[in-house]
Amino acid sequence: MIFDCHTHLFLPGQVGGPTLAASRRNWGPKGDMLATPEQHEAAVAGLDGAIVLAFDAPAVGIDVPNSVVAEYVAGKPGLFGFASVDPNRPEAPRLLEEAIREYGLSGLKLGPIYQNFYPDDRRHFDFYAKADELKLPIMWHQGTSFVPEGYLDASRPAALDPIARAFPSLKMIIAHMGHPWVDECIAVVRKNTNMYMDLSALAGRPWQFYNALVSAMEYGVTHKILLGSDFPFFTAEQTIAKLWDINHLVEGTKMPRITDAIIEDIIHRNTPELLGLQA
Ligand SMILES: [Zn+2]
């Protein structure tokens, strides 16, 4: 099985405000973050499935509604939609339950650096309890971002450790292996049974990508790395090609190599089974 655990849909108008402005400043016209249903379908065509993320982040101008993701994944075998609710919203637990019951989504996407909340703040624990009760895995963007308005001090992977201890059966994934805090991410994922990490978008920084995998290998946690692309920024196909190419940086040296067995294992990870996603 080849399953992409991290993809986005961005329809026109769903990314605006501070995020669009920062993206255009950094990348010019290429910074218009767009991922239409047609583009998404083409990107996942050769795969066994993918997770498609909604995103409710008014603090930075992102609004990918649960209804849009639900409508897109409906009737597409292998595709699982993850809901998103800004934890700052009054009655966030109720909004999450409604989104799940109404739309049949399979998980929850959160990003403290985009939603501007502190994950270890006890005020949000009722919200995590609801996700736990509904058996929803949580995908966390728990790493840095280019958007100046986001809370960088809310985005360290270690901030999730109190949540993992309070809800040991709650499945959680740290996206992008918590970049740039890759080792901190590995530490959190290693000690908490139901935590995983995805390697999406890391291939854009080859040295960090190589070191992230070496570190995961040394800590013995490569079995908790999920394949993800962060489409539209990368495709699964590109990510897999980068994985197979990872050792080229250290060719001709005595530096550690990522073994073929580990690479195969990551590419063929059965993520739906690990996360308990229901078709
Ligand atoms: Zn992403």
Side-chain angles (χ1 to χ4, degrees):
M1 128 152 338
I2 299 185
F3 186 90
D4 186 342
C5 80
H6 189 138
T7 71
H8 295 277
L9 266 189
F10 295 128
L11 273 58
Q14 292 180 350
V15 178
T19 302
L20 186 61
S23 186
R24 283 181 175 160
R25 269 199 309 278
N26 281 319
W27 295 290
K30 269 179 32 191
D32 281 9
M33 293 164 56
L34 269 183
T36 64
E38 295 72 31
Q39 290 167 331
H40 192 283
E41 270 174 39
V44 301
L47 308 176
D48 294 293
I51 289 170
V52 187
L53 304 164
F55 208 15
D56 178 25
V60 296
I62 303 178
D63 177 21
V64 181
N66 297 324
S67 57
V68 168
V69 168
E71 193 182 321
Y72 172 69
V73 301
K76 295 189 179 72
L79 294 194
F80 297 91
F82 272 32
S84 186
V85 173
D86 181 347
N88 294 306
R89 293 191 187 280
E91 299 194 68
R94 183 180 61 77
L95 293 172
L96 176 61
E97 184 154 17
E98 281 175 9
I100 298 306
R101 300 232 183 280
E102 189 169 346
Y103 299 122
L105 296 166
S106 311
L108 172 65
K109 155 81 174 183
L110 294 176
I113 200 169
Y114 297 113
Q115 293 166 319
N116 286 359
F117 73 101
Y118 292 92
D120 50 355
D121 185 333
R122 294 275 153 180
R123 281 181 302 177
H124 301 306
F125 277 46
D126 284 353
F127 186 50
Y128 310 140
K130 181 56 75 179
D132 194 28
E133 178 197 321
L134 298 171
K135 300 210 177 335
L136 300 174
I138 304 181
M139 156 89 64
W140 293 85
H141 179 109
Q142 201 61 9
T144 189
S145 133
F146 57 87
V147 184
E149 286 78 358
Y151 287 7
L152 188 67
D153 60 345
S155 73
R156 300 285 301 237
L160 304 186
D161 189 52
I163 304 166
R165 283 183 282 118
F167 304 100
S169 61
L170 179 60
K171 310 234 178 190
M172 298 198 279
I173 309 119
I174 300 179
H176 321 307
M177 290 181 77
H179 81 113
W181 303 295
V182 168
D183 285 328
E184 187 174 310
C185 169
I186 287 170
V188 179
V189 166
R190 180 172 77 134
K191 78 179 273 295
N192 294 299
T193 312
N194 280 313
M195 290 198 77
Y196 299 88
M197 50 200 160
D198 82 43
L199 51 64
S200 64
L202 286 179
R205 298 182 179 89
W207 183 239
Q208 187 179 59
F209 189 31
Y210 164 78
N211 281 280
L213 291 179
V214 169
S215 195
M217 196 165 70
E218 290 179 345
Y219 276 104
V221 290
T222 55
H223 62 289
K224 300 185 98 180
I225 298 177
L226 310 183
L227 180 74
S229 66
D230 205 17
F231 178 81
F233 308 104
F234 296 87
T235 62
E237 199 182 341
Q238 288 167 333
T239 305
I240 290 168
K242 294 283 188 188
L243 259 175
W244 280 122
D245 195 38
I246 194 147
N247 292 315
H248 89 272
L249 283 175
V250 295
E251 243 165 59
T253 74
K254 292 185 175 176
M255 303 279 273
R257 302 297 195 271
I258 313 301
T259 66
D260 286 2
I262 286 175
I263 294 172
E264 283 282 2
D265 206 38
I266 293 171
I267 292 170
H268 297 287
R269 180 86 61 234
N270 191 334
T271 295
E273 188 178 287
L274 283 177
L275 300 182
L277 301 178
Q278 309 287 341

